């Protein structure tokens, strides 16, 4: 077996792989559910980050969370869309990454989540990491290794 040329996989960190904050759709903690649902439906995403006024990361809100919250015994209680705030429904118990986290940490984190938020030491939102760039880099790495074996 030939030795494998190291490719840059292990030099990559979350910053190299993330979608920067200016390209990420988000909602604010104080928004009503109606606004969040509009953003989700119009963007086509199933969930987006929730930020506060100072751009600090607070949680994630998704279509399923919203629909479960407005589901009554026999109907969807549509009036709740304007009454209930995003902060009351969002999921705040999710892991985040730091820009300096390495490839393996990123890979491990996105196993259980379609996307993970990247925040700085003070909690300010910097972007998101999806599974796509991780799988793309892994695919490239496996192909290089395959061709180096005989
Ligand atoms: P994807 O791998 O592109 O299908 O993205 C997975 C999930 O990440 C989507 O369903 C969204 O919840 C989230 N996501 C991806 N790109 C964005 C974006 N630009 N803004 C907000 N959320 C995003």
């Amino acid at each position: 077996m030939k030795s494998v040329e190291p490719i840059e996989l292990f030099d990559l960190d979350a910053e190299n792989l993330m979608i920067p904050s200016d390209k990420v759709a988000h909602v604010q903690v104080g928004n009503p559910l109606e606004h969040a649902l509009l953003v989700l439906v119009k963007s086509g995403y199933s969930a987006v980050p929730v930020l506060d006024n100072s751009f600090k990361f607070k949680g994630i809100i998704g279509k399923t969370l919203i629909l479960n919250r407005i589901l009554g015994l026999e109907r969807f209680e549509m009036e709740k869309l304007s009454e209930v705030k995003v902060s009351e429904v969002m999921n705040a118990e999710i892991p985040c990454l730091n820009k300096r986290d390495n490839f393996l940490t990123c890979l491990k984190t996105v196993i259980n989540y379609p996307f993970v938020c990247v925040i700085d030491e003070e909690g300010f939102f910097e972007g998101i990491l999806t599974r796509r760039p991780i799988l793309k880099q892994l695919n490239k790495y496996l192909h290089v290794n395959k061709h180096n074996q005989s």
Side-chain angles (χ1 to χ4, degrees):
M1 190 162 68
K2 285 185 206 159
S3 70
V4 174
E5 272 298 307
I7 67 165
E8 307 84 44
L9 192 63
F10 298 106
D11 295 335
L12 292 172
D13 59 19
E15 186 173 17
N16 303 131
L17 300 160
M18 72 182 190
I19 302 172
S21 59
D22 60 335
K23 296 200 171 75
V24 177
H26 73 273
V27 297
Q28 297 210 315
V29 267
N31 289 150
L33 293 186
E34 187 172 24
H35 176 76
L37 197 54
L38 260 172
V39 170
L40 289 163
V41 171
K42 282 196 158 189
S43 66
Y45 297 127
S46 48
V48 292
V50 180
L51 309 181
D52 70 8
N53 293 338
S54 64
F55 228 64
K56 279 195 176 174
F57 174 72
K58 293 292 161 187
I60 280 175
I61 185 100
K63 288 172 190 157
T64 310
L65 281 174
I66 295 175
L67 292 177
N68 276 328
R69 181 64 177 77
I70 67 167
L71 182 61
L73 280 180
E74 290 182 347
R75 66 177 186 97
F76 285 111
E77 295 166 353
M78 303 302 274
E79 62 280 7
K80 284 192 177 153
L81 283 175
S82 55
E83 293 166 4
V84 180
K85 287 186 175 164
V86 165
S87 55
E88 299 170 56
V89 178
M90 68 186 189
N91 177 11
E93 303 300 316
I94 41 152
C96 287
L97 287 163
N98 179 275
K99 271 200 300 201
R100 298 278 80 85
D101 282 330
N102 66 24
F103 184 84
L104 286 181
T105 305
C106 293
L107 170 62
K108 248 189 288 176
T109 315
V110 297
I111 287 174
N112 292 318
Y113 301 90
F115 75 97
V116 176
C117 292
V118 182
I119 60 173
D120 72 8
E121 290 69 21
E122 291 168 73
F124 288 104
F125 179 68
E126 300 195 291
I128 62 166
L129 180 67
T130 66
R131 290 166 172 160
R132 192 189 309 273
I134 298 280
L135 291 175
K136 215 170 135 183
Q137 294 296 334
L138 206 51
N139 181 48
K140 204 158 91 181
Y141 180 77
L142 293 174
H143 273 85
V144 170
N145 277 2
K146 191 176 99 185
H147 294 306
N148 277 342
Q149 288 180 355
S150 59

